Amino acid sequence: MQHAKDMSKYRFDKAEQCLVAAKALINIGDYFAAANRSYYCIFHAMRSVMALRGVDFGNHGQVIGYFRREFIKTGIFPKVMSNTIETLFQVRNESDYDDFYILSKDEVTNQLISAESFLDEIKKYLDRQDEVGLLN
């Protein structure tokens, strides 16, 4: 169990680092990189929760599918988080791979706000797990 707890913490810390990077990137006007980091914030946050179950996957679609099925559809996390996942994943893909994709400061700021809310929900969940002794 200690390995799962350590992995979860490592992944959550990585999610927090992505959020910090996204904020810095918005401030310098690199909106595409900020959108990328906002998405990776929630990606690593999802994986931090999954680590407690000893679960991981090799691609983003599998991570997203498992998280939605096991944590959102079951009511552990609010359904709005599924919308956040969809939006941030789609924008990250389009901004990374589509030529001439336009991303405004307002759009990426909203992405950042969504990522921050997502990360807050994950933190509350991990804190509850710790309080009830599931992370010891």
Side-chain angles (χ1 to χ4, degrees), residues 11-12 15 40-49 118-119 122:
R11 290 176 179 171
F12 187 82
Y40 275 98
C41 168
I42 69 164
F43 178 73
H44 294 303
M46 288 186 284
R47 291 179 69 230
S48 73
V49 171
F118 194 100
L119 193 60
I122 298 291

Side-chain angles (χ1 to χ4, degrees), residues 58-129:
N59 71 51
H60 292 251
Q62 290 173 312
V63 169
I64 291 168
Y66 182 88
F67 187 84
R68 282 178 164 159
R69 183 177 61 254
E70 298 296 322
F71 295 100
I72 294 175
K73 285 186 179 181
T74 60
I76 294 171
F77 290 108
K79 290 184 181 182
V80 70
M81 290 175 74
S82 187
N83 296 337
T84 299
I85 294 165
E86 182 68 28
T87 300
L88 271 67
F89 181 67
Q90 180 180 358
V91 170
R92 194 279 296 191
N93 279 338
E94 290 174 2
S95 67
D96 279 358
Y97 300 113
D98 291 353
D99 292 333
F100 308 112
Y101 183 78
I102 297 171
L103 186 61
S104 73
K105 182 177 184 178
D106 287 343
E107 287 174 296
V108 79
T109 299
N110 288 334
Q111 298 252 321
L112 179 68
I113 291 167
S114 295
E116 203 162 23
S117 295
F118 194 100
L119 193 60
D120 286 345
E121 287 293 328
I122 298 291
K123 177 149 180 45
K124 289 177 198 171
Y125 174 82
L126 294 174
D127 287 347
R128 283 192 308 271
Q129 301 309 297

